[in-house]
Amino acid sequence: MRKSRVKESKLKAFVQSLICINVLLIGVPALATENLEQIWNIALQRNHLLAASQQKEQSAQHQLASAQANYLPKLSLESGYMRTESEPAAKVNIPALPMLKGTTLPFAQDSAYFGGLSISAPLYTSGKISSAVEAAQAQSDATLARTQLTRSDLKLAIAQSYIAVLRAEHAVKVSSSHIAAVSKHVDDVQALFDKGYAAKHDLLATQVAMANARQLGLQANNALELARAALNRWLGREYERVVAIQDIAGFGKEFIHSDLPVLLQSASNDRKELQELSKQSLAYKKQASSVAAAHLPQVGFTAGYSKLENRYLAEDKGWYVGVVMKWDLFDGGLIRHQASQLSATARAINEMEADTRERIDLQVRQSWLTQQETRARMQLVDKAVEQAEETLSLARERYRSGLAPNSDVLDAEARRLQALSNRDNAIYDHEFARLQLLHAAGQL
């Protein structure tokens, strides 16, 4: 009966090992692996947020072209047909000719065609057009900065999903290693129990540890599937599709200056949020100037050719040319209040820019400190794994020799599992901290 239980236990362990091997094989497709740059290119090409931002950028370009078009002459063609109830006429009242009193003289016919071609152009607008063009240019620059900011934010989010897959893949490997180690210890305890050298308590404790290890394996595999689904969403692929990506050593790392003042200066110069807010403030200031200019003289040129069908006129067609000035002297404060509203909005954006600058300085400092911390962890984890492996080996040997309790082996394996997890977390925390620092410094 006891031999049957031993065989059954070994069979279960063998089946579990096969399951873990199959899971790992499924996660390694026979496809060319993709690195982070390739993933970025694919994801950004089909991202809807980036596409929307690019459309807004085109919209701002059209707005700029529209403002610049106000400098150009306007050519208009006008034509029509007019019909009146009767011929327009003027009453004649000449005291020297009393016999003509009450007589009417027509001066236009009751139906006529008319048409004309005119051209007009601004000569002097007191800065109204130039300020509007500068406002449109600033707004266009702001939308460009927004597009670049969207791209940078998306790259960081995509990189986070990419690293999450790598982290989950290594977690699956660590859990498989944990299952294998616990399974080996279960075999040792079972063998000693069959010979009467181990207590029932030891066997039950190792079986509980084995069940916990299997649960950890299930959780690791589920986390891997979730991470792959999240990355596939960025790529526009089926959620269940297996992704094959290169590990951290598979793509080059950009150099990051370790001097914090240099990073802070880089963020101040290159962060797109600051550029966007600065250009938006300038746009509102120029819009205020354009609106305020409407209170000043507006001078324009006009010329054209017109024709009016009228048999009573000696000449019913001809050319004309002229200079026109318009000056709104009083409008009840309408223009002044509109300009003040735009100026207040510009000042509000300046305050937002100042707050954003402070927040970015803090973000750079936090990212820099995080990278320093992860770099220090990287120098410790390999040695910790090596020591944990050696500790486990010694604990097993001492247990088989009857010099150490079963709990020492389980504790040593738990510490080895923690050391492996710490090593992987340190590696991927360091890589993500590097990317976060690039993003914070405006270099991603």
Side-chain angles (χ1 to χ4, degrees), residues 267-269 274 352-362:
S268 178
N269 295 335
L274 299 176
M352 293 172 59
E353 181 183 356
D355 179 75
T356 302
R357 192 175 298 277
E358 294 176 358
R359 178 174 53 82
I360 286 175
D361 286 347
L362 177 61

Side-chain angles (χ1 to χ4, degrees), residues 111-170:
S111 63
Y113 290 94
F114 62 91
L117 183 67
S118 64
I119 183 171
S120 61
L123 296 178
Y124 176 73
T125 63
S126 302
K128 181 178 181 179
I129 295 178
S130 60
S131 295
V133 170
E134 291 174 352
Q137 180 64 64
Q139 188 61 42
S140 177
D141 294 340
T143 56
L144 175 60
R146 168 52 58 176
T147 299
Q148 294 171 339
L149 173 60
T150 301
R151 181 180 287 106
S152 179
D153 290 345
L154 287 172
K155 287 179 71 174
L156 182 63
I158 294 166
Q160 187 173 15
S161 292
Y162 185 98
I163 292 175
V165 172
L166 295 175
R167 195 190 299 266
E169 287 176 348
H170 277 259

Side-chain angles (χ1 to χ4, degrees), residues 75-78 115-119 303-307 319-320:
L75 185 64
S76 303
L77 176 64
E78 184 179 4
L117 183 67
S118 64
I119 183 171
Y305 176 84
S306 64
K307 175 178 174 57
W319 294 93
Y320 65 91

Side-chain angles (χ1 to χ4, degrees), residues 11 42 57 153 163 194 270 345 399 418:
L11 180 60
I42 295 171
E57 187 179 339
D153 290 345
I163 292 175
D194 291 342
D270 299 332
T345 303
Y399 176 74
Q418 187 63 52

Side-chain angles (χ1 to χ4, degrees), residues 356-384:
T356 302
R357 192 175 298 277
E358 294 176 358
R359 178 174 53 82
I360 286 175
D361 286 347
L362 177 61
Q363 187 180 28
V364 172
R365 187 176 297 274
Q366 290 173 334
S367 299
W368 182 80
L369 290 172
T370 300
Q371 190 194 42
Q372 300 302 311
E373 181 258 338
T374 56
R375 183 180 299 171
R377 286 165 55 195
M378 289 279 290
Q379 300 172 0
L380 302 174
V381 289
D382 288 336
K383 184 65 175 178

